[in-house]
Amino acid sequence: MTRTITHQLDPDLDLVLERIVDVPPNLVWAAWTKTEHLKKWFTPAPWQTVDCEIDLRPGGIFRTVMRSPEGQEFPNVGCYLEVIENEKLVWTAALKPGYRPQNAAPGVPVFTAVILLEPHAGTKYTAIALHADEEGAKKHASMGFHDGWGKALDQLVTLAKTM
Amino acid sequence: MTRTITHQLDPDLDLVLERIVDVPPNLVWAAWTKTEHLKKWFTPAPWQTVDCEIDLRPGGIFRTVMRSPEGQEFPNVGCYLEVIENEKLVWTAALKPGYRPQNAAPGVPVFTAVILLEPHAGTKYTAIALHADEEGAKKHASMGFHDGWGKALDQLVTLAKTM
């Protein structure tokens, strides 16, 4: 009953960032799952993550508040779906905590994020954003998915090396 | 990591059917999770469920095709979220299989379904439909949630007694 699912990627609907990083999976996992760590790397500077709430179980809340350099705040609430320590983390913005459906905010592409960690002289890190349609995937790409998630990962690695 | 979540109900957003039925939880579970059973009870007659696909794991597909008495077919695709044998089944129409976000069909309220089974001289059966907003909950109620799910449960119980 607890077999996990393999994600079949669709190049028209999914955005993928894959990279080898020179920190082990358990530190990448800690950076993703402890609020005190996540706030330090999650948003590419000069943006900041000023608040974060993590209830690390399927159905649990994943909430962040990002602040722009101009001081505007952007709250996000999502729901964890799969939590496999040091291996796989899945959450979605399509649901609120407790699996309640959530209406999309205007102009914001709704996605499910899949983070995969594999030991590989460090970690083979794969971040996938799954979208409902091509429009959402294109919008997310044009908003800077690859650059933004890549810069955030650089920040994560820098932080992990201090842990 | 596998603690399950307790569902905090909101009377403005949730629809609930709660009933004691005189068949044991394992038969109710079988009726919900085996395609050959589900097709026999899932849709209140004279509607029919003419096709069904079940991949019983978090992220797996739950697909049905309902047929109206006039012969019009209504396909539905959703995604399982929690699968706890004989106790709890959760799926959502907000996601496709593999947790991909899914756009709502026009006019159809998107909901997450939570089915809870407790041993109780038979089964204490609780079916909950969680909605994003009051509009969705009201629409689902006006479409006949209580009557429809109640009649389907009657059909389930009749079937379970033949198993």
Side-chain angles (χ1 to χ4, degrees), chain A residues 15 107 109 131 134-147:
Chain A
L15 301 177
H131 303 84
E134 288 187 40
E135 186 188 346
K138 281 181 185 165
K139 173 139 195 163
H140 200 175
S142 72
M143 287 169 70
F145 167 84
H146 288 98
D147 188 51

Side-chain angles (χ1 to χ4, degrees), chain A residues 22-23 27 156-163:
Chain A
D22 61 347
V23 290
L27 294 187
L156 182 158
V157 171
T158 300
L159 173 69
K161 289 180 178 175
T162 70
M163 284 180 190

Side-chain angles (χ1 to χ4, degrees), chain A residues 32-51:
Chain A
W32 262 105
T33 58
K34 301 284 186 190
T35 58
E36 68 271 25
H37 297 326
L38 190 133
K39 284 196 274 187
K40 291 178 186 161
W41 70 265
F42 190 62
T43 323
W47 284 62
Q48 292 173 278
T49 301
V50 293
D51 198 8

Side-chain angles (χ1 to χ4, degrees), chain B residues 9-10 14-18 125-129 145-146:
Chain B
L9 299 186
D10 181 327
D14 304 325
L15 301 176
V16 181
L17 174 75
E18 188 181 296
Y125 178 95
T126 308
I128 308 167
F145 168 84
H146 288 98

Side-chain angles (χ1 to χ4, degrees), chain A residues 1 3-5 7 13-14 57-60 81-83 90 94-95 98-101 103 111-112 130-133, chain B residues 1 3-5 7 13-14 55 57-60 81-83 85 94-95 98-101 103 112 130-133:
Chain A
M1 293 296 178
R3 290 171 300 146
T4 64
I5 200 150
H7 294 269
L13 301 181
D14 304 326
R57 56 177 165 166
L81 298 172
E82 283 195 18
V83 178
V90 183
L95 300 174
Y99 306 121
R100 180 183 300 287
N103 295 321
F111 66 95
T112 294
L130 305 169
H131 303 84
D133 50 35
Chain B
M1 292 295 179
R3 291 170 300 147
T4 65
I5 201 149
H7 294 271
L13 302 181
D14 304 325
D55 181 5
R57 56 177 164 166
L81 298 172
E82 283 194 19
V83 178
E85 193 172 2
L95 300 174
Y99 307 121
R100 181 183 299 286
N103 295 321
T112 294
L130 305 169
H131 303 83
D133 50 35

Side-chain angles (χ1 to χ4, degrees), chain B residues 42-55:
Chain B
F42 190 61
T43 323
W47 283 63
Q48 292 174 279
T49 301
V50 293
D51 197 8
C52 176
E53 187 178 353
I54 289 174
D55 181 5

Side-chain angles (χ1 to χ4, degrees), chain B residues 50-111:
Chain B
V50 293
D51 197 8
C52 176
E53 187 178 353
I54 289 174
D55 181 5
L56 198 61
R57 56 177 164 166
I61 193 169
F62 177 45
R63 184 178 66 82
T64 58
V65 179
M66 302 183 189
R67 185 184 288 161
S68 75
E70 295 77 27
Q72 194 179 354
E73 296 197 345
F74 298 85
N76 290 284
V77 172
C79 178
Y80 289 112
L81 298 172
E82 283 194 19
V83 178
I84 304 171
E85 193 172 2
N86 299 337
E87 290 182 25
K88 185 180 182 187
L89 186 64
V90 183
W91 88 92
T92 188
L95 300 174
K96 291 185 197 172
Y99 307 121
R100 181 183 299 286
Q102 172 163 249
N103 295 321
V108 177
V110 173
F111 66 95

